[in-house]
Structures are given as C-alpha cells and as structure tokens.
Amino acid sequence: MTSPTLDPYWWEAAPLRDLPEKPLPAKVDVAVVGAGFAGLSAALTLARAGRSVAVLEQDRAGEGASSRNGGIASGNLRMGFGAMIGAFGLDRAKRIYGEGIAARRDLARFIDEEGIDCQYAPVGRFTGAMRPADYEDLARNTELLNRHLDFGAVMVPRAEQHGEVGTDLYHGGQLRPDIGGLQPALLHRGILDKALEAGAAVHANTEVERIEREKSGFVLATSRGPVAASEVVVATNGYTRGATPWLRRRIMPIPSQIIATGPLDPAVMDRLMPKRRMLGETRNLYHYYRPSPDGTRIVFGGRAGADTDDPLEKLRHLRRNLVELFPELSEVEITHSWWGYTGYTFDFMPKLARHEGVHYAAGFCGSGVVWARWIGTKVAQRILGEPAADTVFGEFDFQTRPLYWGKPWFLPMVVAWYGMRDRFGR
C-alpha cells in the first residue's frame, strides 16, 4: 500500500496560490494580520467600503486551517442549548444559537451572491449517539431547539440509523437539516479573489513580528519592513505567534487531523453514506466526517491523535477509528493524511474583541467555515461603524488562565482524560 500524501485532499482541486510579491505600502487605513477566512472577509468588507487594506500573512494565503478543515458548514457550539439556557438564561441562549442560524444563512447567501463555486450543498448533518444516554440528551436538546428556534431537527432511532449512516456503532442520533458541506479550499480561493478584486493587497510570506501603538495609529514590524496603519485586525486564530502576546494567552492551538480514502465503489458509498450528509458523533474525542463533494470517497477527521505532532501516528489513530466505524473499510487505501491547528477559547465561544486599540477575530473552536467569515465580517463592520456589527460574541470576556502563555502544555492530559471517559462511557 502506498503512503498517503501529507497535503490536504482539497489542494488537488484548489492548489494554494503563490501570490506575486509586491512592495509593502508605507501606510494603510487597515492592516489585517492573517489571510484565512476571517482576515480576508474583513479585508473584503473594508476594501469595498473604500478603505485601503494590507493583509499580512506569514505563510501562503490560506495555508492554515482555512484550507485544511473538513468543509462542514456547521457553526457548531460546544455547549448544548439546554446547558446554555441553564448558564445564561433563555433569552441569551436564543441570541447565541440564533446567531448561528444567521451565520449559516449568511454564508449560503454570500456564496450564492458572489458566485463562488465551492461545491456548497445544504445536505444536513447526522450526529450519532455513542450511548443510549447520549441519544436522550440529543433528544432533549432537539425538543428545546425546535420549540424555541424552529430548527426543524429530528431524532433518528437506532433501528432507522442505517438510512443515515451505515454503521452499528451508534445508538441512533440527531438529524439537523440546517447544516451543509463545501470544498473549503475553493471557498478560500473565492474569498481571496473577491478581496483582491475589491482592491485589498495581500502580502504572503510576510510575518508580523511586532505591533507597536503610536499616537496616529500603529506600526507593524514585519519580516519585510514596517507598515503603518490607522487600525489593525488580528485574525491568526490557531496560528497565533509572538507578535500578539495578549491573544496568544487566550487562544489554545489544538491540532485537528483528517484522512481521505481512495475512491470507493458507488455501492459502498450508498451503503455507508446513503444520503451523502455531513456526519458527526457525541464522543468526547469526536469524529467529523463526510463524503467528498463528488461522492466518491470518505473524508474523515477528528481529535484522536491531537496529543502528537507525528503525522504517521495521527494517521494510525484515524485509520483505526475509521475501521471501528466501518469495519468493511479495513483494507481501504488512504490517499491523503493532513492536519492543522484550530483555535479554541477557554469558554468555547467565538470571539470578537478589542484590546489596546487592536481588533481580534478568533476562537472559532473547530467551526471556522461559518464562524471565521462571520466574525471577520463583523470586525470590519465595527471599524466602519455599521449597525450590522452587533454580535453576541462581542459581549463575552476573552478569558485566559494562570500559567498559560500560548502553548497548551495540558493537552496530552486532557486527551488522555477524554479518551478514558470515552472508553468507560462517560
């Protein structure tokens, strides 16, 4: 069996672009740090409003999580709706989950109106319950979501789950019709093209080393020279480095890893993923998976292997879990295996924040396909003074923890703890 490529499967249809190197501007209205979904969405909004914008990216544009994720447009929130009602009250819980509805709809609108061919399909998502108790918890949340927000979610009992996913591992699950899938590298390319067309300048391979505040704004010291800016947006998320120590103390870079199978027989795909939906599950070290956009192979990701940077060890973890779910794939070829960093916050909420004059869009907690574009756009609208900038995610404190300085030293212990809970059914 041949070794898989370590590049994302998505790059075959949308290779990363090497942008021509251009001189850095001496001064711009807004400097945006990071050329992923969030940074480019902010840049696009600002440039269309007539602001001069320079996007400064330490790697190639989109080389981070924006082209490495699973392409599931969920806008997921880790806290269930029932728990959120208990923590924040019904009205605020409805605002938080309601903003997820708005963000998903806005992504679909944006893709359609901008004519971005990223293979978006509103196919729905099935979440499998690992235990009977998980099924009951999903059912309670489904009832609350439907009662208060008209989600249209339904529960699928175990006897009927083969109509959604061809495995016996789950004890039924939840079907949500409001979630879709897309090709993330093509979405990123589309946003990049729109930002460039609007007049934003994107400077790849330009690392921001320091951000210094001055009376008239900011000076960003970069690997290619200084750039002055009246406003600064930082959208580095899981790839945050030392130039923004305040953000680094508040974002946990958590690895997420994905594999893609070789093409499968259509009959196999019909059996394992009969409705070609997005798929997930309730275990703590959960998996997210889906058919490829052309429906010929399985793209399978998860948190298993997050405690190692060895790509082969990550591959072994995921392959073992794939076969646990679908035993008939024990001999399937894995053609691609890759990973990247997601950015988590300590309260598992996306964040729009401002500190010492710098705007931050970060903390998408593994659901950046929806949240990164949404929060990046909100940051730009805030700079422009637009009423549409209002977001519940700008109201939460951006928390840190004692002894945390940007490297999640506790991650192996957390992974081991969650793994133990999964093994013992908790």
Side-chain angles (χ1 to χ4, degrees), residues 10 69-74 107 111 118-125 178-184 187 276-279 290-293 369:
W10 314 119
N69 62 79
I72 300 176
S74 68
L107 175 63
I111 290 168
C118 60
Q119 300 170 318
Y120 173 73
V123 292
R125 183 188 68 187
D178 61 322
I179 291 173
L182 50 75
Q183 212 280 30
L187 174 62
R276 305 299 194 266
R277 298 197 196 278
M278 304 296 105
L279 296 150
R290 55 168 296 176
S292 57
V369 172

Short mmCIF file of all heavy atoms in Angstrom, two decimals, residues 10 69-74 107 111 118-125 178-184 187 276-279 290-293 369:
data_model
loop_
_atom_site.label_atom_id
_atom_site.label_comp_id
_atom_site.label_asym_id
_atom_site.label_seq_id
_atom_site.Cartn_x
_atom_site.Cartn_y
_atom_site.Cartn_z
N TRP A 10 -8.12 18.69 -0.39
CA TRP A 10 -8.72 19.85 -1.05
C TRP A 10 -7.77 20.57 -1.99
O TRP A 10 -8.21 21.24 -2.92
CB TRP A 10 -9.22 20.83 0.00
CG TRP A 10 -9.99 20.23 1.13
CD1 TRP A 10 -9.67 20.27 2.46
CD2 TRP A 10 -11.22 19.49 1.04
NE1 TRP A 10 -10.61 19.60 3.20
CE2 TRP A 10 -11.58 19.12 2.36
CE3 TRP A 10 -12.05 19.12 -0.02
CZ2 TRP A 10 -12.73 18.39 2.64
CZ3 TRP A 10 -13.20 18.40 0.27
CH2 TRP A 10 -13.53 18.04 1.58
N ASN A 69 -9.51 22.22 6.82
CA ASN A 69 -10.62 21.71 7.62
C ASN A 69 -11.46 20.70 6.84
O ASN A 69 -11.18 20.39 5.69
CB ASN A 69 -11.48 22.89 8.11
CG ASN A 69 -12.09 23.65 6.96
OD1 ASN A 69 -13.09 23.23 6.39
ND2 ASN A 69 -11.49 24.77 6.59
N GLY A 70 -12.52 20.24 7.48
CA GLY A 70 -13.36 19.22 6.85
C GLY A 70 -14.42 19.74 5.91
O GLY A 70 -15.11 18.96 5.25
N GLY A 71 -14.59 21.07 5.86
CA GLY A 71 -15.58 21.63 4.94
C GLY A 71 -17.02 21.45 5.39
O GLY A 71 -17.94 21.49 4.57
N ILE A 72 -17.25 21.28 6.70
CA ILE A 72 -18.60 21.15 7.23
C ILE A 72 -19.04 22.52 7.73
O ILE A 72 -18.43 23.10 8.63
CB ILE A 72 -18.67 20.11 8.36
CG1 ILE A 72 -18.23 18.74 7.84
CG2 ILE A 72 -20.08 20.04 8.95
CD1 ILE A 72 -18.17 17.65 8.89
N ALA A 73 -20.09 23.06 7.13
CA ALA A 73 -20.55 24.42 7.44
C ALA A 73 -21.57 24.35 8.57
O ALA A 73 -22.77 24.53 8.36
CB ALA A 73 -21.14 25.06 6.20
N SER A 74 -21.07 24.14 9.80
CA SER A 74 -21.98 23.88 10.92
C SER A 74 -22.21 25.10 11.80
O SER A 74 -23.31 25.27 12.33
CB SER A 74 -21.44 22.74 11.78
OG SER A 74 -20.25 23.12 12.44
N LEU A 107 -23.68 32.72 5.16
CA LEU A 107 -22.65 32.05 4.36
C LEU A 107 -23.26 31.56 3.04
O LEU A 107 -22.66 31.76 1.97
CB LEU A 107 -22.05 30.88 5.13
CG LEU A 107 -21.05 30.02 4.36
CD1 LEU A 107 -19.82 30.83 3.94
CD2 LEU A 107 -20.64 28.80 5.18
N ILE A 111 -22.09 32.93 -0.70
CA ILE A 111 -21.61 32.02 -1.75
C ILE A 111 -22.45 32.19 -3.01
O ILE A 111 -21.91 32.26 -4.13
CB ILE A 111 -21.65 30.57 -1.25
CG1 ILE A 111 -20.56 30.35 -0.17
CG2 ILE A 111 -21.44 29.59 -2.40
CD1 ILE A 111 -20.71 29.05 0.58
N CYS A 118 -17.83 26.63 -4.78
CA CYS A 118 -17.11 25.86 -3.77
C CYS A 118 -17.88 24.59 -3.40
O CYS A 118 -17.66 24.03 -2.32
CB CYS A 118 -16.84 26.71 -2.53
SG CYS A 118 -18.33 27.35 -1.73
N GLN A 119 -18.76 24.17 -4.29
CA GLN A 119 -19.48 22.91 -4.14
C GLN A 119 -20.31 22.86 -2.86
O GLN A 119 -20.45 21.82 -2.22
CB GLN A 119 -18.51 21.73 -4.22
CG GLN A 119 -17.75 21.69 -5.54
CD GLN A 119 -16.61 20.69 -5.57
OE1 GLN A 119 -15.85 20.57 -4.62
NE2 GLN A 119 -16.48 19.98 -6.67
N TYR A 120 -20.87 24.01 -2.50
CA TYR A 120 -21.72 24.07 -1.30
C TYR A 120 -23.01 23.29 -1.54
O TYR A 120 -23.66 23.43 -2.58
CB TYR A 120 -22.06 25.52 -0.95
CG TYR A 120 -23.07 25.65 0.16
CD1 TYR A 120 -22.70 25.36 1.47
CD2 TYR A 120 -24.38 26.03 -0.10
CE1 TYR A 120 -23.64 25.46 2.50
CE2 TYR A 120 -25.32 26.13 0.92
CZ TYR A 120 -24.93 25.84 2.22
OH TYR A 120 -25.85 25.94 3.23
N ALA A 121 -23.38 22.47 -0.55
CA ALA A 121 -24.61 21.67 -0.65
C ALA A 121 -25.25 21.60 0.73
O ALA A 121 -24.63 21.12 1.69
CB ALA A 121 -24.30 20.27 -1.15
N PRO A 122 -26.49 22.08 0.89
CA PRO A 122 -27.19 22.06 2.19
C PRO A 122 -27.79 20.69 2.47
O PRO A 122 -29.02 20.51 2.49
CB PRO A 122 -28.26 23.13 2.02
CG PRO A 122 -28.57 23.12 0.55
CD PRO A 122 -27.28 22.77 -0.15
N VAL A 123 -26.94 19.71 2.73
CA VAL A 123 -27.37 18.31 2.80
C VAL A 123 -27.82 17.88 4.19
O VAL A 123 -28.38 16.79 4.36
CB VAL A 123 -26.23 17.38 2.33
CG1 VAL A 123 -25.97 17.56 0.85
CG2 VAL A 123 -24.95 17.63 3.14
N GLY A 124 -27.59 18.70 5.22
CA GLY A 124 -27.93 18.31 6.58
C GLY A 124 -26.80 17.53 7.23
O GLY A 124 -25.85 17.08 6.59
N ARG A 125 -26.92 17.40 8.56
CA ARG A 125 -25.90 16.64 9.32
C ARG A 125 -26.57 15.68 10.29
O ARG A 125 -27.52 16.05 11.00
CB ARG A 125 -24.98 17.58 10.10
CG ARG A 125 -23.85 16.82 10.84
CD ARG A 125 -23.07 17.74 11.77
NE ARG A 125 -23.89 18.17 12.90
CZ ARG A 125 -23.50 19.09 13.79
NH1 ARG A 125 -22.33 19.70 13.63
NH2 ARG A 125 -24.29 19.43 14.79
N ASP A 178 -30.19 22.02 8.76
CA ASP A 178 -29.70 23.38 8.51
C ASP A 178 -28.20 23.44 8.28
O ASP A 178 -27.63 24.54 8.20
CB ASP A 178 -30.07 24.29 9.69
CG ASP A 178 -29.46 23.82 11.01
OD1 ASP A 178 -29.41 22.59 11.24
OD2 ASP A 178 -29.04 24.67 11.81
N ILE A 179 -27.54 22.32 8.16
CA ILE A 179 -26.08 22.28 8.03
C ILE A 179 -25.70 21.73 6.66
O ILE A 179 -26.33 20.78 6.17
CB ILE A 179 -25.46 21.45 9.17
CG1 ILE A 179 -25.63 22.20 10.49
CG2 ILE A 179 -23.99 21.14 8.91
CD1 ILE A 179 -25.20 21.42 11.71
N GLY A 180 -24.68 22.31 6.06
CA GLY A 180 -24.25 21.89 4.74
C GLY A 180 -22.78 21.56 4.69
O GLY A 180 -22.07 21.58 5.71
N GLY A 181 -22.32 21.27 3.50
CA GLY A 181 -20.91 20.98 3.28
C GLY A 181 -20.40 21.71 2.06
O GLY A 181 -21.19 22.10 1.18
N LEU A 182 -19.08 21.92 2.01
CA LEU A 182 -18.47 22.60 0.88
C LEU A 182 -17.02 22.19 0.75
O LEU A 182 -16.49 21.41 1.55
CB LEU A 182 -18.61 24.13 1.04
CG LEU A 182 -18.20 24.78 2.36
CD1 LEU A 182 -16.69 24.88 2.55
CD2 LEU A 182 -18.80 26.18 2.47
N GLN A 183 -16.37 22.72 -0.29
CA GLN A 183 -14.94 22.47 -0.52
C GLN A 183 -14.20 23.69 0.03
O GLN A 183 -14.23 24.77 -0.56
CB GLN A 183 -14.68 22.29 -2.02
CG GLN A 183 -13.55 21.34 -2.37
CD GLN A 183 -12.15 21.98 -2.26
OE1 GLN A 183 -11.92 22.87 -1.46
NE2 GLN A 183 -11.24 21.50 -3.08
N PRO A 184 -13.54 23.56 1.20
CA PRO A 184 -13.02 24.75 1.87
C PRO A 184 -11.92 25.49 1.12
O PRO A 184 -11.86 26.73 1.19
CB PRO A 184 -12.51 24.20 3.21
CG PRO A 184 -12.25 22.75 2.97
CD PRO A 184 -13.29 22.33 1.98
N LEU A 187 -13.64 27.64 -1.36
CA LEU A 187 -14.24 28.80 -0.71
C LEU A 187 -13.18 29.84 -0.40
O LEU A 187 -13.38 31.04 -0.66
CB LEU A 187 -14.95 28.38 0.58
CG LEU A 187 -15.51 29.54 1.42
CD1 LEU A 187 -16.57 30.32 0.65
CD2 LEU A 187 -16.08 29.02 2.74
N ARG A 276 -25.53 11.10 1.66
CA ARG A 276 -24.37 11.98 1.43
C ARG A 276 -24.41 13.20 2.36
O ARG A 276 -24.08 14.31 1.97
CB ARG A 276 -24.30 12.43 -0.03
CG ARG A 276 -24.28 11.30 -1.07
CD ARG A 276 -23.08 10.38 -0.91
NE ARG A 276 -22.89 9.52 -2.06
CZ ARG A 276 -23.36 8.28 -2.18
NH1 ARG A 276 -24.10 7.76 -1.20
NH2 ARG A 276 -23.11 7.56 -3.27
N ARG A 277 -24.78 12.96 3.62
CA ARG A 277 -24.85 14.05 4.58
C ARG A 277 -23.48 14.31 5.21
O ARG A 277 -22.56 13.48 5.12
CB ARG A 277 -25.84 13.71 5.70
CG ARG A 277 -27.28 13.53 5.24
CD ARG A 277 -28.19 13.62 6.45
NE ARG A 277 -29.53 13.12 6.21
CZ ARG A 277 -30.50 13.79 5.62
NH1 ARG A 277 -30.28 15.01 5.18
NH2 ARG A 277 -31.71 13.25 5.47
N MET A 278 -23.38 15.44 5.94
CA MET A 278 -22.29 15.65 6.87
C MET A 278 -22.58 14.80 8.11
O MET A 278 -23.75 14.57 8.45
CB MET A 278 -22.20 17.12 7.27
CG MET A 278 -22.05 18.10 6.11
SD MET A 278 -20.51 17.91 5.15
CE MET A 278 -21.13 17.08 3.66
N LEU A 279 -21.53 14.34 8.79
CA LEU A 279 -21.72 13.39 9.88
C LEU A 279 -20.84 13.74 11.07
O LEU A 279 -19.73 14.26 10.92
CB LEU A 279 -21.42 11.97 9.40
CG LEU A 279 -22.36 11.46 8.30
CD1 LEU A 279 -21.67 10.47 7.40
CD2 LEU A 279 -23.61 10.85 8.92
N ARG A 290 -17.53 12.89 6.29
CA ARG A 290 -18.43 13.28 5.20
C ARG A 290 -17.99 12.59 3.91
O ARG A 290 -16.86 12.10 3.79
CB ARG A 290 -18.33 14.78 4.99
CG ARG A 290 -16.88 15.23 4.74
CD ARG A 290 -16.77 16.64 4.25
NE ARG A 290 -17.41 16.78 2.95
CZ ARG A 290 -17.53 17.95 2.31
NH1 ARG A 290 -17.01 19.04 2.85
NH2 ARG A 290 -18.11 18.01 1.14
N PRO A 291 -18.87 12.56 2.91
CA PRO A 291 -18.42 12.17 1.58
C PRO A 291 -17.66 13.33 0.95
O PRO A 291 -17.88 14.50 1.29
CB PRO A 291 -19.73 11.92 0.84
CG PRO A 291 -20.73 12.79 1.51
CD PRO A 291 -20.33 12.87 2.95
N SER A 292 -16.74 13.02 0.07
CA SER A 292 -16.11 14.07 -0.73
C SER A 292 -17.20 14.74 -1.57
O SER A 292 -18.26 14.16 -1.81
CB SER A 292 -15.02 13.49 -1.62
OG SER A 292 -15.55 12.47 -2.47
N PRO A 293 -16.97 15.98 -2.02
CA PRO A 293 -18.02 16.66 -2.78
C PRO A 293 -18.54 15.90 -3.99
O PRO A 293 -19.70 16.04 -4.36
CB PRO A 293 -17.35 17.98 -3.17
CG PRO A 293 -16.38 18.24 -2.07
CD PRO A 293 -15.84 16.88 -1.72
N VAL A 369 -15.48 27.37 9.31
CA VAL A 369 -16.09 27.55 7.99
C VAL A 369 -17.21 28.58 8.06
O VAL A 369 -17.36 29.43 7.18
CB VAL A 369 -16.61 26.21 7.43
CG1 VAL A 369 -17.42 26.42 6.16
CG2 VAL A 369 -15.45 25.26 7.15
#
